[in-house]
């Protein structure tokens, strides 16, 4: 019975993982090198992650330091950061790029929390859509007499339990990120 549910549980897990990746990219006033994960720079004609062409470190709580392995990459990395939606202005001394994170205003924190909640709600909708697809698949199996009504009910209950588990995890992730953002 569990084999019929596994692919749907995997889809729910992917939705949760995607949410957590999105949360990493939301800055909470502290420097986090994962903010740069989605940025790409042109490295000999190949779009490459910044972490693949430079040493990224956090020397202080609100500074990310990027030290490219080749000095000609400084301009490329700066361009990528300015073109991104990070809202940060890079400064460089010819060898190292520094990203300084300003203290977030109360208004900006509240906007970020709204964004966090919106992303969580979208993830919950995605999880519920997977539940609906799973229930539809089980109903088709029951209609084709491949499973009994009792089995159908049992599987649907199990699908609901899995859905509730993932929705609770989304809520927890949202709470944690909101708390992180609102902590001054």
């Amino acid at each position: 019975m569990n084999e019929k549910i596994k692919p749907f549980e995997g889809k729910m897990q992917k939705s949760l993982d995607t949410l957590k990746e999105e949360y990493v990219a939301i800055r909470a006033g502290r420097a986090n090198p994962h903010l740069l994960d989605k940025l790409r720079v042109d490295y000999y004609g190949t779009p490459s992650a910044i972490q693949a062409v430079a040493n990224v470190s956090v020397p202080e709580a609100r500074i990310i330091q990027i030290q490219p392995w080749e000095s000609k990459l400084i301009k490329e990395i700066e361009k990528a950061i300015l073109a991104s939606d990070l809202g940060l202005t890079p400064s460089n001394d010819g060898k190292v790029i520094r990203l300084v994170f300003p203290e977030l205003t109360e208004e900006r924190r509240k906007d970020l929390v709204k964004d966090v909640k919106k992303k969580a709600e979208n993830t919950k909708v995605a999880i519920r859509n997977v539940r609906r697809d799973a229930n539809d698949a089980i109903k088709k199996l029951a209609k084709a007499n491949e499973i009994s009504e009792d089995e159908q009910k049992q599987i649907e209950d199990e699908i609901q339990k899995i859905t509730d588990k993932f929705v609770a995890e989304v809520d927890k992730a949202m709470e944690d990120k909101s708390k992180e953002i609102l902590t001054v």
Side-chain angles (χ1 to χ4, degrees):
M1 240 188 303
N2 225 352
E3 295 307 310
K4 293 175 178 68
I5 298 173
K6 278 233 187 293
F8 297 106
E9 190 174 3
K11 288 179 184 177
M12 288 182 188
Q13 184 63 51
K14 280 183 188 160
S15 296
L16 180 66
D17 293 344
T18 301
L19 175 73
K20 287 180 179 177
E21 285 174 23
E22 288 177 355
Y23 280 178
V24 164
I26 296 176
R27 61 189 183 99
R30 281 189 284 287
N32 182 343
H34 291 293
L35 290 173
L36 305 173
D37 285 353
K38 292 182 180 171
L39 300 184
R40 298 283 177 256
V41 293
D42 187 42
Y43 184 64
Y44 293 108
T46 306
S48 305
I50 290 178
Q51 287 88 335
V53 296
N55 184 23
V56 179
S57 61
V58 182
E60 294 176 35
R62 293 211 318 259
I63 296 176
I64 291 180
Q65 186 171 299
I66 305 164
Q67 188 169 9
W69 294 320
E70 294 179 31
S71 58
K72 73 179 189 106
L73 284 172
I74 286 182
K75 290 280 180 239
E76 289 289 331
I77 293 172
E78 280 188 331
K79 255 191 264 178
I81 292 168
L82 289 170
S84 73
D85 61 351
L86 291 176
L88 297 170
T89 305
S91 63
N92 82 65
D93 61 7
K95 294 179 181 171
V96 174
I97 297 172
R98 287 182 186 80
L99 299 175
V100 179
F101 290 77
E103 189 64 48
L104 294 175
T105 63
E106 189 64 31
E107 187 179 321
R108 180 68 181 133
R109 288 178 192 276
K110 287 177 181 170
D111 287 346
L112 286 173
V113 169
K114 281 181 194 170
D115 191 37
V116 163
K117 288 180 179 174
K118 192 170 100 182
K119 288 179 189 301
E121 206 48 53
N122 290 341
T123 301
K124 287 182 195 177
V125 168
I127 288 170
R128 290 182 192 123
N129 286 341
V130 172
R131 175 188 62 192
R132 186 196 59 225
D133 294 344
N135 284 338
D136 289 349
I138 297 307
K139 284 176 185 162
K140 282 180 186 167
L141 288 175
K143 209 172 204 176
N145 290 328
E146 291 182 37
I147 59 172
S148 69
E149 278 185 38
D150 287 345
E151 285 176 312
Q152 176 187 352
K153 198 75 183 134
Q154 220 174 6
I155 293 172
E156 285 176 352
D157 288 345
E158 201 170 326
I159 291 168
Q160 185 58 48
K161 284 178 188 164
I162 292 168
T163 302
D164 292 343
K165 179 185 90 171
F166 279 103
V167 167
E169 286 186 45
V170 168
D171 285 338
K172 183 174 176 358
M174 179 190 69
E175 291 282 321
D176 292 348
K177 190 64 180 182
S178 296
K179 227 178 266 176
E180 178 188 333
I181 290 170
L182 293 173
T183 303
V184 179

